[in-house]
């Protein structure tokens, strides 16, 4: 697996990954209905993707630096639980730390709350619903990046899918 910076040409593949996420089925579907990761978004923010040797997109994240926030984090449904999300979070915290950021805000999709807690995110409150797209309150966290030169997270070895 390789983590690399996304390019404008990756936009359609990232959009497909978001729209295929089973975490956004049922009542959560309106949040991603029509959602698009555009080339301009990729060029404006720090978007990185994990790819396998065949160039399949395994997952990706988007880090906004001003103000610091993890805007997107998705892992392919069939690969969740294999450590890819942890590797992406570790990469993101390294990037944020290198940019001089000591903590990154995360507004979590409710089903992902346990994941963020497991990677060291600290609960800071609740982000109120924003109808019509987001009809529910969401937990808010801060992911500390750790001091410069440290490893914020030690990711586990990836497990086979």
């Amino acid at each position: 697996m390789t983590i690399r910076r996304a390019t404008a040409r990756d936009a359609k593949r990232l959009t497909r990954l978001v729209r295929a996420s089973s975490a956004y089925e049922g009542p959560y579907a309106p949040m991603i209905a029509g959602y698009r990761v555009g080339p301009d978004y990729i060029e404006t923010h720090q978007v990185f993707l994990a790819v396998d040797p065949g160039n399949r997109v395994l997952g990706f994240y988007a880090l906004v630096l001003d103000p610091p926030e993890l805007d997107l984090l998705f892992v392919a449904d069939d690969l969740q639980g294999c450590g890819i999300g942890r590797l992406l979070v570790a990469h993101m915290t390294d990037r944020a730390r290198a940019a001089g950021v000591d903590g990154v805000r995360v507004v979590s999709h409710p089903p992902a709350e346990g994941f963020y807690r497991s990677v060291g995110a600290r609960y800071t409150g609740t982000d109120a619903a924003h109808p019509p797209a987001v009809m529910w309150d969401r937990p808010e966290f801060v992911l500390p990046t750790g001091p410069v030169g440290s490893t914020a997270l030690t990711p586990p070895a990836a497990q086979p899918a």
Side-chain angles (χ1 to χ4, degrees):
M1 180 184 82
T2 303
I3 297 177
R4 67 165 175 83
R5 184 88 186 234
T7 67
R9 287 186 290 190
D10 294 312
K12 288 182 181 178
R13 296 189 321 155
L14 301 184
T15 296
R16 277 194 298 272
L17 187 63
V18 170
R19 290 183 181 175
S21 175
S22 63
Y24 287 89
E25 293 176 341
Y28 299 119
M31 189 169 178
I32 62 165
Y35 192 87
R36 179 178 160 270
V37 179
D40 53 336
Y41 180 88
I42 291 170
E43 292 172 1
T44 303
H45 302 296
Q46 296 207 21
V47 181
F48 285 84
L49 62 152
V51 294
D52 69 10
N55 205 31
R56 174 188 175 201
V57 176
L58 310 175
F60 79 99
Y61 74 84
L63 172 63
V64 175
L65 287 173
D66 189 19
E69 182 171 356
L70 176 62
D71 192 36
L72 299 169
L73 175 64
F74 283 85
V75 173
D77 282 354
D78 63 326
L79 297 172
Q80 290 181 12
C82 296
I84 294 166
R86 285 184 172 277
L87 291 170
L88 289 169
V89 168
H91 189 273
M92 183 276 303
T93 57
D94 286 347
R95 297 287 303 181
R97 183 174 47 256
V101 172
D102 60 2
V104 176
R105 178 180 185 243
V106 177
V107 177
S108 176
H109 182 47
E113 181 175 355
F115 168 75
Y116 288 112
R117 288 181 187 274
S118 78
V119 295
R122 294 189 313 256
Y123 180 78
T124 57
T126 301
D127 188 63
H130 303 285
V134 182
M135 302 299 291
W136 56 91
D137 293 345
R138 295 174 294 163
E140 186 174 330
F141 297 93
V142 66
L143 255 170
T145 63
V148 174
S150 76
T151 301
L153 298 171
T154 303
Q159 302 294 316

